[in-house]
Amino acid sequence: MDTKNLRISEPHFDWASLTVQLSPESIIDTLLRKVKGAWRVRAALSHNKGYTQAFEVLDVEDNPLCTVEAGASHGWNLISASGTQPNAEVVEAVRVMAAQGAAARATRLDSAIDVLGGDFDQLAGLVEIAAKQPKNGAPVHARASFDYGTGRTLYVGSKSSSVLVRVYEKGLEQRSKGKSDAPLDWVRLELQWRPNGVKRTAALGASPAEVWGASAWTADVARQLLGDNVQHVATPPEITSFEQSYAWLCKSASRIFDRAVARYGLMSVLADMGIDDVTDVLE
């Protein structure tokens, strides 16, 4: 695709949903320190099933910057930032939590590329061709096109898949919201990525450009627009069910095991666990 007459933005986060195993107080403290403009916190209503409490982090004008939902039985607390909120700073704050030892992962990341001077039909066609004829992987057949009266939108990929791309007339959308100076030739391409399983941990470290590498065909779209060598994100090695169980055992039982060894001795504890030939274990 010839892009020399187009003004194409760098990819940027337009939505971020992240989960952290850390107390709500610690999460909020980090967000207040790391997110520019964060001023105070107020209680809010939970929007997602299973969470019993929620908070909004606000700026000085009481505009929400992000939300924190907590209290779910699975132990993961949810941080969400969308739209015009400082998504990149929220993601970076969660990376700080991870660097300090908290379990953290990304459950959804949206990366947007804005094109000024572009033609909706041409850009939508680029995305459709890349999806139907990927250089690697299976073709994507799911697509839907709508005209909401505030500009056209093309969806490629199903809502249930890990990758969904939207192409829409952003300028017309903005004008419908009263922003009369929004350029009419403003088209946005937006990738919604819901990483699966072990990819969620790796996704936390992904840049907005790297998010376009969530699939082979979306990486191809990004390369055509940006001229960069956007690569398909490699899948980390799968964790077996045994490894998952062992990790859970170490996390949940290590403290009681240490106390039991201190009280009864290692040999007695191993015998109580049904390990008959403890000499083989010690060797």
Side-chain angles (χ1 to χ4, degrees), residues 4-23:
K4 63 182 179 181
N5 294 320
L6 303 178
R7 288 169 287 165
I8 303 174
S9 75
E10 291 296 318
H12 55 278
F13 287 127
D14 191 60
W15 181 292
S17 293
L18 314 115
T19 53
V20 185
Q21 288 188 339
L22 201 62
S23 70

Side-chain angles (χ1 to χ4, degrees), residues 16-18 20 27 31 66-68 77-81 90 94 97:
S17 293
L18 314 115
V20 185
I27 292 173
L31 291 170
C66 62
T67 61
V68 178
N77 294 326
L78 174 66
I79 304 168
S80 302
V90 172
V94 175
M97 299 177 208

Side-chain angles (χ1 to χ4, degrees), residues 22-29 31-32 40-47 51-58 64-71 77-80 85:
L22 201 62
S23 70
E25 295 79 11
S26 297
I27 292 173
I28 290 170
D29 176 67
L31 291 170
L32 288 173
R40 71 182 189 93
V41 178
R42 71 180 174 199
L45 295 175
S46 295
H47 297 290
Y51 295 96
T52 59
Q53 55 183 160
F55 308 91
E56 288 182 325
V57 178
L58 309 170
L65 300 178
C66 62
T67 61
V68 178
E69 297 179 64
N77 294 326
L78 174 66
I79 304 168
S80 302
Q85 299 169 346

Side-chain angles (χ1 to χ4, degrees), residues 8-12 111-115 186-191 208 212 221-222 225-226:
I8 303 174
S9 75
E10 291 296 318
H12 55 278
S111 179
I113 299 173
D114 289 314
V115 181
W186 179 7
V187 180
R188 173 169 287 185
L189 292 83
E190 194 169 272
L191 167 63
W212 282 87
V221 170
L225 288 175
L226 305 174

Side-chain angles (χ1 to χ4, degrees), residues 56-154:
E56 288 182 325
V57 178
L58 309 170
D59 64 14
V60 292
E61 296 180 348
D62 279 352
N63 298 310
L65 300 178
C66 62
T67 61
V68 178
E69 297 179 64
S73 59
H74 49 62
W76 291 92
N77 294 326
L78 174 66
I79 304 168
S80 302
S82 62
T84 57
Q85 299 169 346
N87 306 287
E89 293 179 13
V90 172
V91 173
E92 186 57 37
V94 175
R95 289 172 181 165
V96 169
M97 299 177 208
Q100 294 174 345
R105 60 191 186 182
T107 56
R108 174 180 166 183
L109 294 173
D110 290 10
S111 179
I113 299 173
D114 289 314
V115 181
L116 293 174
D119 176 82
F120 173 82
D121 292 315
Q122 182 184 27
L123 291 165
L126 180 155
V127 172
E128 285 192 285
I129 291 172
K132 292 177 181 177
Q133 302 173 1
K135 294 181 179 178
N136 295 291
V140 179
H141 298 291
R143 65 175 295 279
S145 184
F146 299 94
D147 189 339
Y148 295 109
T150 57
R152 292 170 292 171
T153 301
L154 170 72

